[in-house]
Amino acid sequence: MGMQTSPQMTARAQRLARLAEFRDGFYSCLTSWGDALFELTDALLFAPGAVGSVPALSLEAVFRRSHGSLYKALSRGEVDGNRLRALLVESRPKDWPLVFAVDSSTWERCDAETSPERGFYHSASRHSAGQPIVAGWAFQWIAQLGFTRDSWTAPVDVERIPPTDDATRATVVQLHRLVDLLPADGEVPMFVLDAGYDSAGLSYGLADVRAQVLVRVRDDRVFYADPASRAPGPR
């Protein structure tokens, strides 16, 4: 008598097959030193906590190479960013709405004074000279959101924005690039952003893009209506 397969086992097998397909696609995005970069990614995922040093990743069991290969992968490895973005968009949850959060996070490099293109950014947890400001690199993320009340998101794009770049223009380019990867028919994607973004600049820059933009307004913003028409006669 053959073994019966339960619906739970079938669903699990399907999820594993999708994961294997995604990993194959990710490997194809690594165009140089792909084996070492692939195992380095697994080492990051398997690390039990925050990674305090690069050599520590070479101690993870999934990284089967020397720590020298790790540094060479970081120095010489290459990733096809466009192919990876297309893979993330293709692998996103298809039953989620086309609602994407746009926000930036800072990789703090306070003591690395010689790091190139380091900027100063707001921080909610660390202070410098009594101000909530840290030095580091700003990375802007775009992640798809679901309606379920949990913390899961589906990241689809990330871009480092140097302090010399215009943040609004860089955001417009990033959103435009993502919209081009999404289906051209059906639901119109919506991007939600925090109060630090320029709503007028984004609306102008995305005027010809098939997208909706929702920006939170700061509580100290003031809006003025058009003045009333002047009555004839008085100056």
Side-chain angles (χ1 to χ4, degrees), residues 101-128:
V102 183
D103 202 359
S104 62
S105 61
T106 303
W107 184 4
E108 299 173 0
R109 304 284 290 167
C110 298
D111 299 326
E113 297 181 1
T114 59
S115 293
E117 297 183 329
R118 194 179 62 150
F120 296 94
Y121 305 97
H122 176 269
S123 174
S125 58
R126 294 190 59 179
H127 288 68
S128 176

Short mmCIF file of all heavy atoms in Angstrom, two decimals, residues 101-128:
data_model
loop_
_atom_site.label_atom_id
_atom_site.label_comp_id
_atom_site.label_asym_id
_atom_site.label_seq_id
_atom_site.Cartn_x
_atom_site.Cartn_y
_atom_site.Cartn_z
N ALA A 101 6.28 50.07 1.53
CA ALA A 101 6.83 51.06 2.45
C ALA A 101 8.22 51.47 1.97
O ALA A 101 9.01 50.63 1.52
CB ALA A 101 6.92 50.48 3.86
N VAL A 102 8.49 52.76 2.03
CA VAL A 102 9.79 53.31 1.65
C VAL A 102 10.38 53.99 2.88
O VAL A 102 9.75 54.89 3.45
CB VAL A 102 9.66 54.31 0.49
CG1 VAL A 102 11.03 54.82 0.06
CG2 VAL A 102 8.93 53.69 -0.69
N ASP A 103 11.55 53.55 3.28
CA ASP A 103 12.17 54.14 4.47
C ASP A 103 13.68 53.90 4.40
O ASP A 103 14.14 53.02 3.68
CB ASP A 103 11.59 53.52 5.74
CG ASP A 103 11.78 54.44 6.95
OD1 ASP A 103 12.38 55.52 6.80
OD2 ASP A 103 11.32 54.08 8.05
N SER A 104 14.40 54.69 5.15
CA SER A 104 15.86 54.58 5.15
C SER A 104 16.34 54.14 6.53
O SER A 104 15.70 54.41 7.54
CB SER A 104 16.51 55.92 4.77
OG SER A 104 16.17 56.92 5.73
N SER A 105 17.45 53.44 6.54
CA SER A 105 18.11 53.04 7.77
C SER A 105 19.58 53.38 7.64
O SER A 105 20.14 53.37 6.54
CB SER A 105 17.91 51.54 8.05
OG SER A 105 18.47 50.77 7.00
N THR A 106 20.20 53.66 8.76
CA THR A 106 21.59 54.11 8.76
C THR A 106 22.50 53.01 9.30
O THR A 106 22.22 52.46 10.38
CB THR A 106 21.76 55.38 9.61
OG1 THR A 106 20.89 56.40 9.13
CG2 THR A 106 23.19 55.88 9.56
N TRP A 107 23.51 52.70 8.55
CA TRP A 107 24.56 51.81 9.05
C TRP A 107 25.57 52.71 9.75
O TRP A 107 26.32 53.46 9.12
CB TRP A 107 25.21 51.06 7.89
CG TRP A 107 26.25 50.06 8.35
CD1 TRP A 107 26.58 49.74 9.64
CD2 TRP A 107 27.10 49.27 7.52
NE1 TRP A 107 27.57 48.80 9.67
CE2 TRP A 107 27.92 48.48 8.38
CE3 TRP A 107 27.25 49.14 6.14
CZ2 TRP A 107 28.87 47.60 7.90
CZ3 TRP A 107 28.19 48.24 5.67
CH2 TRP A 107 28.98 47.49 6.53
N GLU A 108 25.58 52.65 11.05
CA GLU A 108 26.39 53.56 11.85
C GLU A 108 27.88 53.28 11.66
O GLU A 108 28.33 52.15 11.82
CB GLU A 108 26.01 53.45 13.32
CG GLU A 108 24.55 53.81 13.58
CD GLU A 108 24.15 53.53 15.02
OE1 GLU A 108 25.02 53.06 15.79
OE2 GLU A 108 22.99 53.79 15.36
N ARG A 109 28.62 54.33 11.31
CA ARG A 109 30.08 54.24 11.14
C ARG A 109 30.71 55.43 11.87
O ARG A 109 31.49 56.19 11.31
CB ARG A 109 30.44 54.27 9.65
CG ARG A 109 29.78 53.20 8.82
CD ARG A 109 30.44 51.86 9.03
NE ARG A 109 31.78 51.84 8.45
CZ ARG A 109 32.67 50.90 8.68
NH1 ARG A 109 32.37 49.91 9.50
NH2 ARG A 109 33.85 50.94 8.11
N CYS A 110 30.33 55.58 13.15
CA CYS A 110 30.72 56.77 13.91
C CYS A 110 32.23 56.89 14.07
O CYS A 110 32.78 58.01 14.08
CB CYS A 110 30.04 56.75 15.28
SG CYS A 110 28.23 56.78 15.20
N ASP A 111 32.92 55.77 14.23
CA ASP A 111 34.37 55.81 14.46
C ASP A 111 35.19 55.66 13.19
O ASP A 111 36.43 55.73 13.25
CB ASP A 111 34.76 54.71 15.45
CG ASP A 111 34.08 54.88 16.80
OD1 ASP A 111 33.89 56.04 17.21
OD2 ASP A 111 33.73 53.86 17.43
N ALA A 112 34.55 55.44 12.08
CA ALA A 112 35.27 55.24 10.81
C ALA A 112 35.34 56.56 10.07
O ALA A 112 34.62 56.80 9.09
CB ALA A 112 34.58 54.17 9.96
N GLU A 113 36.22 57.42 10.53
CA GLU A 113 36.28 58.78 9.98
C GLU A 113 36.78 58.81 8.54
O GLU A 113 36.56 59.79 7.83
CB GLU A 113 37.17 59.64 10.86
CG GLU A 113 36.64 59.81 12.29
CD GLU A 113 37.54 60.69 13.12
OE1 GLU A 113 38.55 61.18 12.58
OE2 GLU A 113 37.21 60.91 14.31
N THR A 114 37.47 57.76 8.10
CA THR A 114 37.98 57.74 6.73
C THR A 114 37.06 57.01 5.76
O THR A 114 37.42 56.86 4.59
CB THR A 114 39.37 57.08 6.70
OG1 THR A 114 39.27 55.73 7.19
CG2 THR A 114 40.36 57.85 7.55
N SER A 115 35.90 56.55 6.24
CA SER A 115 34.97 55.86 5.34
C SER A 115 34.46 56.83 4.29
O SER A 115 34.04 57.95 4.61
CB SER A 115 33.79 55.28 6.13
OG SER A 115 34.23 54.24 6.98
N PRO A 116 34.48 56.43 3.01
CA PRO A 116 34.03 57.36 1.96
C PRO A 116 32.53 57.59 2.00
O PRO A 116 31.76 56.70 2.35
CB PRO A 116 34.45 56.63 0.67
CG PRO A 116 34.46 55.18 1.05
CD PRO A 116 34.91 55.13 2.48
N GLU A 117 32.13 58.82 1.66
CA GLU A 117 30.72 59.21 1.52
C GLU A 117 29.93 58.96 2.81
O GLU A 117 28.76 58.56 2.77
CB GLU A 117 30.08 58.47 0.35
CG GLU A 117 30.72 58.81 -0.99
CD GLU A 117 30.03 58.15 -2.15
OE1 GLU A 117 29.49 57.02 -1.97
OE2 GLU A 117 30.00 58.72 -3.24
N ARG A 118 30.55 59.19 3.93
CA ARG A 118 29.86 59.08 5.20
C ARG A 118 29.09 60.36 5.47
O ARG A 118 29.58 61.46 5.22
CB ARG A 118 30.87 58.81 6.33
CG ARG A 118 30.26 58.34 7.63
CD ARG A 118 31.33 58.09 8.66
NE ARG A 118 32.08 59.30 8.98
CZ ARG A 118 32.63 59.57 10.17
NH1 ARG A 118 32.53 58.68 11.13
NH2 ARG A 118 33.30 60.67 10.37
N GLY A 119 27.86 60.24 5.96
CA GLY A 119 27.03 61.40 6.24
C GLY A 119 26.53 61.39 7.67
O GLY A 119 26.81 60.46 8.45
N PHE A 120 25.77 62.42 8.04
CA PHE A 120 25.21 62.53 9.37
C PHE A 120 23.69 62.42 9.26
O PHE A 120 23.06 63.14 8.49
CB PHE A 120 25.61 63.87 10.01
CG PHE A 120 27.10 63.99 10.25
CD1 PHE A 120 27.92 64.60 9.30
CD2 PHE A 120 27.68 63.46 11.39
CE1 PHE A 120 29.28 64.70 9.51
CE2 PHE A 120 29.04 63.56 11.61
CZ PHE A 120 29.85 64.17 10.67
N TYR A 121 23.11 61.53 10.09
CA TYR A 121 21.69 61.21 9.97
C TYR A 121 21.05 61.12 11.35
O TYR A 121 21.73 60.90 12.36
CB TYR A 121 21.51 59.87 9.22
CG TYR A 121 22.17 59.85 7.87
CD1 TYR A 121 23.44 59.29 7.71
CD2 TYR A 121 21.55 60.40 6.76
CE1 TYR A 121 24.06 59.26 6.48
CE2 TYR A 121 22.17 60.38 5.52
CZ TYR A 121 23.42 59.82 5.38
OH TYR A 121 24.04 59.81 4.16
N HIS A 122 19.75 61.28 11.36
CA HIS A 122 19.00 61.20 12.61
C HIS A 122 18.98 59.78 13.14
O HIS A 122 18.92 58.81 12.38
CB HIS A 122 17.56 61.68 12.39
CG HIS A 122 16.69 61.56 13.60
ND1 HIS A 122 15.93 60.44 13.86
CD2 HIS A 122 16.48 62.43 14.63
CE1 HIS A 122 15.27 60.62 15.00
NE2 HIS A 122 15.58 61.80 15.48
N SER A 123 19.06 59.64 14.45
CA SER A 123 19.00 58.34 15.11
C SER A 123 18.09 58.44 16.32
O SER A 123 18.20 59.37 17.12
CB SER A 123 20.40 57.89 15.53
OG SER A 123 20.32 56.70 16.29
N ALA A 124 17.20 57.47 16.45
CA ALA A 124 16.28 57.46 17.57
C ALA A 124 16.87 56.82 18.82
O ALA A 124 16.33 56.95 19.91
CB ALA A 124 14.99 56.73 17.19
N SER A 125 18.00 56.12 18.67
CA SER A 125 18.55 55.37 19.80
C SER A 125 19.92 55.85 20.25
O SER A 125 20.31 55.62 21.40
CB SER A 125 18.65 53.88 19.43
OG SER A 125 19.46 53.69 18.28
N ARG A 126 20.68 56.52 19.37
CA ARG A 126 22.02 56.97 19.74
C ARG A 126 22.13 58.48 19.62
O ARG A 126 21.45 59.11 18.80
CB ARG A 126 23.08 56.30 18.87
CG ARG A 126 23.20 54.80 19.07
CD ARG A 126 24.41 54.24 18.37
NE ARG A 126 25.64 54.86 18.85
CZ ARG A 126 26.86 54.52 18.41
NH1 ARG A 126 26.98 53.57 17.49
NH2 ARG A 126 27.94 55.11 18.88
N HIS A 127 22.97 59.06 20.47
CA HIS A 127 23.17 60.50 20.46
C HIS A 127 24.65 60.83 20.33
O HIS A 127 25.51 60.06 20.77
CB HIS A 127 22.63 61.13 21.76
CG HIS A 127 21.14 61.15 21.83
ND1 HIS A 127 20.38 60.01 21.94
CD2 HIS A 127 20.25 62.18 21.79
CE1 HIS A 127 19.09 60.33 21.98
NE2 HIS A 127 19.00 61.64 21.89
N SER A 128 24.94 61.97 19.73
CA SER A 128 26.29 62.48 19.60
C SER A 128 26.27 63.95 20.02
O SER A 128 25.53 64.75 19.44
CB SER A 128 26.78 62.34 18.16
OG SER A 128 28.06 62.91 18.01
#
